[in-house]
Amino acid sequence: MIKDKLERQFEYLRISVTDKCNFRCIYCMPKEIFGSKHQFLKKNELLTYEEIIEVAKTLKPFGLKKIRLTGGEPLLRKNIEYLVEGLKKDALIDEVMITTNGSLLTKEKLISLKKGGLDSVTISLDASSKKVRNIMNPVNSNHVLVSEAIDNVITIFNSVKVNMVVIKGINDKEIMPMLEKFLDKNIELRFIEYMDVGESNNWSLDNVFTSKETKDLIEKYFSLKKIPDLIDSTSEKWAIDNYTLNIAFISSISKPFCSECNRGRLSANGNFYTCLFSEKPYDFSSYFRNKENNLSFNNYFTKVWSNRDDQYSQLRFVSKPGKNKNKKNKVEMSYIGG
Ligand code: SAM
Ligand code: SF4
Ligand code: SF4
């Protein structure tokens, strides 16, 4: 067990297994920027499954309990069920989860992921109407497969989380249709405030549809009952009277949760970040891949985590003296892992 400068324990690792994606969501990988000229990581730069399992094994004694596989689109990596199996059965990680856009999540894939020991699935879907979905993701928007995947996850895993990023004036009118679509299903529909992650999505506070605005809208039609928060939960959950669907709000902009943040992030090429908004990579691959570093990894990681003082979301609107606002160096979500 290890704590950072703000007394936060390390427990959770989000791993981007690839920075590539077959979608181009406007808030994450806008097609104008992530076009044919964009340089993605090369295949030989990606950590292998064996290396990722080794990282997990090494971090377990520090308190690592949960891993989320993400990206980019994690299902673009072949046979990811082998990685899941290694994390569960070899590295003995308590909970292994995946976040995916669902477009490649066939029933067969789900069955092998379940067999490998995967604990739960989160699927991203930002609108019910085809027209708005195509605005949110103008490339490869075969969303019929995504809806099928949501139903298949419920059949195989009993329940599913669905992530919806809400952007003011673009898909906020889809909040009620999305809710109505899923009312009778075993789903947690999570409304995510649009975040200023990376440098390419042209984020502005004016485009944020806050959790309060979403909740006020829903309460015009439905009665909500609070579900008690889990200790390290980053969302507030509510049940809807008389329906199976639960909803959750992830309010990184209006109600940041940095004081509870127990997570680190690992990029597909082995850079560790102590915060989604951190600009400082810690090169794990030199320990796990090149083995060129003589310092012990345990000493190194102890230093990295115990010096951690990130609380970007909490300080987002406090201007930092000496910080050059024109300097663009925030890391993209698809690289660091959403
Ligand atoms: N491709 C997978 C997917 O879309 O589920 C996994 C990676 S994606 C980066 C992980 C999550 O981050 C998705 O639910 C996505 O909606 C969310 N996300 C990406 N950019 C975001 C932003 N700017 N603000 C809020 N959430 C964002
Ligand atoms: Fe791809 Fe997920 Fe980013 Fe959309 S949110 S572009 S699906 S990585
Ligand atoms: Fe954690 Fe950084 Fe997000 Fe705060 S801003 S919750 S420290 S990842």
Side-chain angles (χ1 to χ4, degrees):
M1 205 174 84
I2 183 166
K3 287 188 176 174
D4 71 6
K5 281 194 169 161
L6 304 174
E7 292 290 308
R8 298 169 297 187
Q9 265 175 38
F10 172 67
E11 287 186 1
Y12 185 3
L13 185 65
R14 294 170 85 102
I15 305 176
S16 171
V17 292
T18 173
D19 59 337
K20 290 192 180 143
C21 186
N22 55 342
F23 281 13
R24 287 291 178 274
C25 303
I26 53 171
Y27 50 80
C28 177
M29 297 176 79
K31 68 176 177 19
E32 301 71 29
I33 295 176
F34 291 85
S36 55
K37 293 210 176 92
H38 182 79
Q39 286 283 318
F40 291 99
L41 294 170
K42 294 188 194 73
K43 210 171 164 198
N44 65 358
E45 289 178 282
L46 304 183
L47 292 182
T48 62
Y49 290 167
E50 290 71 24
E51 285 166 336
I52 296 176
I53 293 162
E54 191 61 29
V55 173
K57 270 191 195 166
T58 312
L59 290 179
K60 189 162 156 80
F62 286 97
L64 178 61
K65 294 191 176 77
K66 287 199 285 187
I67 288 185
R68 178 168 298 279
L69 301 176
T70 175
E73 175 45 45
L75 294 176
L76 286 177
R77 283 284 295 256
K78 277 200 195 110
N79 301 323
I80 198 160
E81 54 275 24
Y82 297 161
L83 174 60
V84 170
E85 190 166 355
L87 293 172
K88 285 294 288 193
K89 298 179 186 162
D90 197 6
L92 302 175
I93 300 301
D94 300 349
E95 213 178 330
V96 177
M97 304 159 285
I98 196 164
T99 301
T100 164
N101 64 33
S103 63
L104 305 168
L105 195 55
T106 59
K107 203 164 188 178
E108 294 66 41
K109 187 56 127 185
L110 272 168
I111 292 168
S112 39
L113 284 165
K114 176 87 182 168
K115 231 166 126 193
L118 187 73
D119 292 288
S120 67
V121 180
T122 300
I123 294 185
S124 304
L125 182 67
D126 299 315
S128 167
S129 98
K130 194 171 171 200
K131 190 169 157 227
V132 181
R133 282 195 314 247
N134 287 345
I135 297 170
M136 294 297 278
N137 164 34
V139 173
N140 186 3
S141 41
N142 191 346
H143 289 90
V144 177
L145 294 176
V146 180
S147 293
E148 273 175 25
I150 289 174
D151 286 335
N152 286 335
V153 178
I154 298 175
T155 309
I156 294 164
F157 284 79
N158 188 42
S159 64
V160 61
K161 290 180 181 172
V162 174
N163 279 355
M164 172 177 180
V165 176
V166 188
I167 306 185
K168 190 173 268 180
I170 299 200
N171 69 335
D172 52 307
K173 299 271 181 303
E174 287 289 309
I175 291 169
M176 294 313 296
M178 282 284 280
L179 196 107
E180 276 151 21
K181 180 180 166 83
F182 295 133
L183 273 175
D184 293 316
K185 298 197 178 197
N186 213 354
I187 289 179
E188 179 182 301
L189 177 58
R190 295 141 55 91
F191 299 102
I192 303 181
E193 287 179 350
Y194 178 30
M195 282 189 285
D196 50 338
V197 64
E199 302 285 359
S200 59
N201 61 13
N202 217 3
W203 181 90
S204 141
L205 187 55
D206 298 338
N207 301 133
V208 177
F209 198 81
T210 63
S211 296
K212 181 176 180 327
E213 288 173 289
T214 305
K215 183 162 171 279
D216 288 350
L217 173 67
I218 295 171
E219 281 186 313
K220 285 187 192 160
Y221 306 94
F222 295 97
S223 155
L224 302 181
K225 220 182 258 146
K226 182 87 178 66
I227 300 172
D229 294 329
L230 294 174
I231 299 165
D232 64 344
S233 177
T234 52
S235 64
E236 285 186 3
K237 299 185 184 22
W238 300 77
I240 307 178
D241 262 1
N242 305 319
Y243 292 99
T244 320
L245 178 72
N246 287 338
I247 57 172
F249 299 101
I250 301 179
S251 318
S252 160
I253 305 293
S254 65
K255 216 171 167 189
F257 35 80
C258 298
S259 59
E260 310 295 327
C261 185
N262 57 6
R263 50 184 74 172
R265 291 183 142 85
L266 188 66
S267 73
N269 60 339
N271 281 327
F272 180 82
Y273 292 85
T274 51
C275 171
L276 178 57
F277 299 91
S278 168
E279 290 158 14
K280 183 172 170 32
Y282 294 96
D283 178 12
F284 276 18
S285 69
S286 67
Y287 286 89
F288 289 93
R289 170 160 288 191
N290 308 328
K291 314 256 186 229
E292 68 190 16
N293 223 310
N294 293 328
L295 271 178
S296 105
F297 180 80
N298 286 358
N299 290 344
Y300 174 62
F301 186 71
T302 304
K303 261 194 212 141
V304 169
W305 194 264
S306 47
N307 283 330
R308 175 184 189 245
D309 62 358
D310 307 271
Q311 40 179 340
Y312 176 92
S313 293
Q314 219 89 42
L315 305 175
R316 180 178 272 116
F317 302 115
V318 181
S319 72
K320 298 172 191 82
K323 179 114 181 144
N324 179 355
K325 287 226 157 74
N326 296 321
K327 209 172 148 217
K328 292 192 182 292
N329 39 17
K330 271 195 285 160
V331 183
E332 296 300 327
M333 182 88 126
S334 49
Y335 173 75
I336 200 171

